Amino acid sequence: MSGLVSAEVAPRQWWKTVVAMAIGIFYALPVYIALSVAFRSPTDTRSLWVFPSRPVLSNFADAFREGGVGRALVNSTIITACCIVLIALVGAFAAYPLARRRTRLNSGIKGFVLGVMMVPPLSILVTLYTTMARVHGVSQYWGIVLTITAFELPLSIFLYTNFIGAIPEALDEAAAIDGAGPARTFFSVILPQLAPVTASVVILTGMHAWNDYQFSLYMLQKPEMRSLPLAIASFFSQTTSNVYAATAAALIAILPAIILFLALQRFFIRGMVDSAVK
């Protein structure tokens, strides 16, 4: 009987496989073109759909030598790591009282946080740059870290608030009976359960910090402070362009992001579902 049911259901599922394969191919094509360009000699004028028969590594060498991708990789790593730590810690600390104390004031604060997420960053860029210049935060790690952190915190607070709200308050009450205060309850009871949503926060906000261009363009003006997006953009100017080295630099830039997502994807999916549904 089970064999008949399987035989009836299986033919109806073939279209899902076809759709999944089509989506996979659609997303894989840009990566294939990028690989084709990055390993291609500038003198090779054949179609980009044809992978070079003799791949070269000179474009990657140009990316490090001319574009300073090595230094930019270090800068982006420092900036992203600092942003992730601050966003995760401050977001979790702020979300805990918002999720546990359902008062009118906290509801207003959560509404304000959601409203901040709707503000286009470019709309306040002039004022932001003026302020950072006055406090000498331009071309400083702490300046760009605080800027990105401030704009990514609302998303972190939103995700953490929804996730913590789904954790039973009985755990807090049990910790209070044992003599634990709010701080100890957070670190001993709540924080260990935040791994899934923390993975979501790390991936989402970390990718925004890693790929940031609009803030970095104005806040990181010294050549030695350039991040990866700025290093890639340096291959293009009004007079010359080197799309081959730029593509090689882009592949170098996306490699850490792929590794991070593959390492945290299990927690990421769970955290997104729990934060959005619960």
Side-chain angles (χ1 to χ4, degrees):
M1 185 66 180
S2 59
L4 293 176
V5 174
S6 301
E8 293 178 358
V9 175
R12 301 178 185 176
Q13 307 299 322
W14 65 268
W15 64 272
K16 295 183 180 180
T17 303
V18 173
V19 172
M21 293 178 61
I23 295 175
I25 294 174
F26 178 79
Y27 282 102
L29 283 178
V31 179
Y32 170 79
I33 296 297
L35 291 171
S36 177
V37 175
F39 288 98
R40 182 182 301 268
S41 172
T43 58
D44 190 347
T45 59
R46 293 181 301 168
S47 172
L48 298 180
W49 293 100
V50 180
F51 198 82
S53 57
R54 294 182 179 180
V56 298
L57 297 177
S58 58
N59 296 322
F60 291 89
D62 292 340
F64 281 95
R65 183 175 59 253
E66 299 178 6
V69 170
R71 179 60 187 176
L73 184 63
V74 174
N75 291 335
S76 289
T77 301
I78 294 174
I79 293 171
T80 303
C82 293
C83 288
I84 287 175
V85 172
L86 285 177
I87 292 170
L89 287 178
V90 177
F93 290 158
Y96 181 53
L98 292 177
R100 283 296 186 251
R101 298 180 181 178
R102 297 179 176 86
T103 63
R104 182 173 299 180
L105 176 61
N106 282 354
S107 297
I109 294 175
K110 287 189 287 186
F112 174 76
V113 169
L114 291 176
V116 172
M117 295 174 63
M118 308 301 172
V119 177
L122 290 178
S123 64
I124 60 173
L125 185 57
V126 175
T127 305
L128 177 63
Y129 177 80
T130 302
T131 302
M132 295 305 294
R134 289 177 179 175
V135 298
H136 306 288
V138 178
S139 295
Q140 300 290 335
Y141 283 129
W142 66 266
I144 187 64
V145 167
L146 289 182
T147 300
I148 296 176
T149 300
F151 279 89
E152 295 300 327
L153 264 179
L155 176 60
S156 173
I157 294 174
F158 174 75
L159 293 176
Y160 275 120
T161 300
N162 289 346
F163 192 92
I164 295 175
I167 299 176
E169 295 187 19
L171 297 178
D172 298 48
E173 297 172 357
I177 294 174
D178 291 338
R184 184 177 178 183
T185 300
F186 176 80
F187 284 104
S188 301
V189 179
I190 303 299
L191 191 60
Q193 303 184 60
L194 300 182
V197 68
T198 299
S200 300
V201 171
V202 168
I203 291 177
L204 293 176
T205 61
M207 290 303 97
H208 291 166
W210 183 263
N211 297 322
D212 177 74
Y213 179 79
Q214 55 187 359
F215 291 133
S216 300
L217 180 62
Y218 295 95
M219 298 298 176
L220 302 177
Q221 298 183 357
K222 293 182 180 180
E224 63 271 16
M225 291 295 297
R226 288 188 306 191
S227 60
L228 279 171
L230 297 182
I232 296 172
S234 67
F235 290 104
F236 302 95
S237 64
Q238 295 181 349
T239 57
T240 61
S241 63
N242 189 346
V243 67
Y244 302 96
T247 306
L251 289 176
I252 296 173
I254 66 175
L255 186 59
I258 294 175
I259 294 175
L260 178 65
F261 179 78
L262 292 178
L264 300 177
Q265 63 174 335
R266 178 168 60 91
F267 298 102
F268 171 74
I269 295 173
R270 179 185 167 190
M272 290 299 295
V273 171
D274 290 346
S275 297
V277 177
K278 293 181 180 179

